[in-house]
Amino acid sequence: EVDEGYIWASEFSNLMLMYVGFLGASMATRDRRHIQVDALRKNLSPRYLPLYNAVSGLVTVFFCGLLLAITVHYMAERIEAGSRLEATELPEVLMSLPVGLSLLLMELRFLGHTWLAFQAFRRGELSEPAKPELH
């Protein structure tokens, strides 16, 4: 439990956590270090990996777009309501802003990855088979 005199610090640290966490997730997509489901990918021939990457990219773009639309709708409601955080009196929309910004960046990055994968498949390029990585 946070002392009443320091409730603003707890609220502010939660706000900063949202920014660090979601912008960090966006950076993972930039570096292609995001979570991938490799159950099928590991068993595909290198010839079909670009197609698999493109199709899975389209699915990812769809879900990121859906989440982005929901986030934008929520943010618009918070702005319209004029909601403020209790202790700091900052606009409540600042808490969901990193989610929306990160989803927008991820959407654009996944669109780019998907486009490149379709182009690689169209050209008949072979992809490196998935292998375990150490982090």
Side-chain angles (χ1 to χ4, degrees), residues 26-92:
S26 171
M27 290 171 64
T29 62
R30 181 193 65 204
D31 298 337
R32 295 184 186 219
R33 305 294 253 171
H34 52 84
I35 296 172
Q36 296 182 21
V37 179
D38 288 336
L40 291 175
R41 167 187 265 274
K42 289 181 180 182
N43 295 316
L44 287 176
S45 76
R47 180 174 178 221
Y48 292 106
L49 278 175
L51 180 60
Y52 174 83
N53 291 336
V55 171
S56 64
L58 281 178
V59 172
T60 304
V61 165
F62 171 77
F63 282 107
C64 276
L66 182 63
L67 290 172
L68 178 60
I70 291 168
T71 302
V72 168
H73 177 73
Y74 176 79
M75 290 171 60
E77 285 180 342
R78 298 294 90 211
I79 291 170
E80 186 177 320
S83 302
R84 297 211 166 263
L85 298 174
E86 186 179 334
T88 59
E89 288 297 316
L90 291 170
E92 189 180 326

Side-chain angles (χ1 to χ4, degrees), residues 117-128:
F118 269 123
Q119 294 302 316
F121 178 72
R122 189 180 58 78
R123 289 189 300 268
E125 293 178 13
L126 301 179
S127 286
E128 296 263 336

